[in-house]
Amino acid sequence: MPSLMHIFSRVLFFFQYPVARLYVSLLSEKKRLQSIGKRSRILWENELQGRSILLLALYEKGVLRPDIQRLLKQAKAQGMFVLCVNTLKLKDPDQYKDIIDCYIEKFNFGRDFSSYKTGFLHIYKRGWETECARVLMANDSVFYTSKGLKKFLKDMVETDVEVLGST
């Protein structure tokens, strides 16, 4: 249950910034209306074959950043199934078929949470949750340095901890 101070701060924000709140609400509603009838598009999909899944939420236009390519290559080198959900469009997505196992493009509404939702719905639609030992959620708003990347992915996938996060 939220504390009294939390409730007070939310009420104060609502009354202090009504114009800003209205503006943000209207922008969100406009985007929601634009999203009606727009379906996600699966451009390709490989077999899961019981691998752990890297579910990556992307906001990449044109080409993938070098650090994202580095992350995907390392995930593939460790035997992971790479599932990417992009809210923008790549110029030539086929050039990444060797480092992405399943590539989905969707309308940009709902930000990263919507991309994760799309990815998880895809996993459940395919029944992969029954054969996948681990799903690692990642985001392209993080910079992936080469230093320690191999160990980071290995530790995240091979841990005995049931739910684990990283920032």
Side-chain angles (χ1 to χ4, degrees), residues 49-122:
Q49 300 170 335
R51 297 178 278 171
S52 292
I53 297 173
L54 170 62
L55 171 54
L56 182 62
L58 294 171
Y59 184 73
E60 299 285 325
K61 184 177 183 179
V63 296
L64 292 178
R65 294 188 333 242
D67 67 301
I68 297 300
Q69 292 181 48
R70 182 172 37 247
L71 169 69
L72 299 178
K73 287 175 186 174
Q74 187 54 236
K76 292 293 289 178
Q78 293 189 30
M80 298 178 73
F81 182 91
V82 176
L83 168 57
C84 294
V85 180
N86 193 0
T87 53
L88 292 175
K89 294 185 184 300
L90 296 175
K91 188 172 30 180
D92 180 18
D94 287 344
Q95 72 177 325
Y96 303 109
K97 280 189 170 184
D98 59 330
I99 57 173
I100 298 174
D101 292 295
C102 181
Y103 180 71
I104 301 171
E105 288 181 343
K106 67 178 290 312
F107 183 75
N108 186 18
F109 178 70
R111 297 170 186 84
D112 299 333
F113 292 107
S114 180
S115 293
Y116 292 133
K117 178 182 176 183
T118 298
F120 275 104
L121 288 174
H122 188 75

Side-chain angles (χ1 to χ4, degrees), residues 152-166:
F152 169 75
L153 285 174
K154 186 176 187 300
D155 289 348
M156 294 295 278
V157 172
E158 294 181 1
T159 183
D160 290 334
V161 178
E162 191 169 334
V163 177
L164 183 65
S166 175

Side-chain angles (χ1 to χ4, degrees), residues 30-41:
K30 176 185 173 189
K31 205 69 155 155
R32 186 190 70 77
L33 291 172
Q34 289 173 335
S35 74
I36 294 173
K38 298 205 166 121
R39 300 223 183 268
S40 298
R41 212 169 61 122

